[in-house]
Amino acid sequence: MNKLIITIDGPSGSGKTTLGKAISDRLGITFFSSGSIYRVIAKYFLDTNDLGFDNFEIISFEPLKIKIDENIYHEHDLYTKELNTKSSELAQQIEIRAIVDNVLKFVQSSADKGLVVEGRDMGSVVFPDATLKIYLDADEDIRSARRIEQSKNLETVDDISERDKRDLSRKNSPLVVPEGAIVINNNDKTIEQLIDIVTKNLKLQ
Ligand code: DC
């Protein structure tokens, strides 16, 4: 039997991480945020002004701890305004996307009980044969309000719309609705309503 894999794609502020963590808790499978890998590479770049590393190692998943050559990074270092922008910029490069794809394949092989993974191209490019693909969306004003709250007012509406524009219009793996994905509008759904949609659709697979 193929391993369970659920992908959640969508723009920033659509609620992917909240839903992904809730599914992971409910089903007892691993949750992983692919953006964290773009972010850690961006952090390495800002620290060293270089992208030519030899070793990339996930030391622990929960909380996420990563070693790139001799540099160690923790999950809580990765969610800054500067890294929001830099990760989105570097994510345009095909060579960086290839590195992240490899890391995600490793994550999948380590997730013995199954994986729920969120990002921008999880169902369209990285895991096209996923068991269930979700595309989560919400109106721009609602997404902006969520992001601004999550960033403790450090991000502005302009920062968010610029990042969305870049993630949507880039040449390599732009954000799209993956083939076969279930599209959910998350303007005002509760987490229980979202989980209900996911579990019902899982049964149909
Ligand atoms: O989801 P996030 O905000 O942590 O992601 C940070 C950036 O990484 C996002 O603006 C674009 C890039 N990204 C991507 O290109 N593809 C993914 N699957 C996940 C993130």
Side-chain angles (χ1 to χ4, degrees):
M1 200 176 80
N2 285 339
K3 235 193 232 180
L4 173 65
I5 171 153
I6 301 172
T7 59
I8 309 175
D9 290 300
S12 76
S14 55
K16 302 183 297 292
T17 299
T18 306
L19 176 59
K21 285 185 173 167
I23 294 172
S24 146
D25 283 349
R26 190 63 61 94
L27 301 181
I29 61 177
T30 300
F31 168 73
F32 200 81
S33 177
S34 58
S36 64
I37 306 299
Y38 289 98
R39 286 171 181 275
V40 80
I41 292 173
K43 176 86 176 122
Y44 175 86
F45 178 71
L46 290 176
D47 288 351
T48 63
N49 206 18
D50 185 22
L51 281 170
F53 50 84
D54 295 318
N55 287 303
F56 185 106
E57 186 188 346
I58 298 182
I59 297 175
S60 85
F61 278 92
E62 193 55 56
L64 191 64
K65 187 173 168 191
I66 287 174
K67 189 173 175 194
I68 306 183
D69 285 347
E70 293 317 309
N71 303 272
I72 301 224
Y73 299 106
H74 298 90
E75 189 162 354
H76 57 76
D77 298 329
L78 303 179
Y79 290 83
T80 64
K81 178 171 151 58
E82 198 181 19
L83 290 175
N84 291 346
T85 305
K86 191 42 90 182
S87 58
S88 164
E89 286 172 2
L90 290 179
Q92 297 177 96
Q93 297 183 23
I94 198 152
E95 298 82 3
I96 302 287
R97 302 204 72 83
I99 293 170
V100 177
D101 279 21
N102 271 328
V103 173
L104 293 169
K105 299 282 159 52
F106 166 76
V107 170
Q108 187 205 12
S109 69
S110 313
D112 295 332
K113 294 187 176 140
L115 175 69
V116 51
V117 60
E118 66 86 14
R120 307 292 188 289
D121 62 340
M122 295 300 92
S124 53
V125 176
V126 184
F127 299 113
D129 299 324
T131 321
L132 181 67
K133 301 179 193 181
I134 305 288
Y135 186 90
L136 209 53
D137 208 350
D139 292 350
E140 195 171 358
D141 54 334
I142 292 175
R143 295 191 294 103
S144 293
R146 283 186 192 143
R147 292 299 313 190
I148 288 165
E149 198 191 321
Q150 282 161 7
S151 78
K152 302 194 173 54
N153 291 313
L154 286 175
E155 270 196 306
T156 65
V157 173
D158 284 349
D159 295 332
I160 292 157
S161 94
E162 203 180 312
R163 184 149 78 100
D164 274 354
K165 225 180 283 160
R166 199 166 33 233
D167 293 346
L168 276 159
S169 64
R170 67 176 173 230
K171 193 165 118 242
N172 301 310
S173 309
L175 172 64
V176 292
V177 178
E179 206 184 314
I182 291 150
V183 179
I184 307 176
N185 177 294
N186 187 23
N187 276 354
D188 51 11
K189 292 207 174 39
T190 65
I191 194 68
E192 277 309 319
Q193 287 171 324
L194 291 171
I195 290 184
D196 202 43
I197 298 172
V198 171
T199 48
K200 279 191 178 131
N201 278 283
L202 257 186
K203 284 190 189 132
L204 299 174
Q205 300 305 303

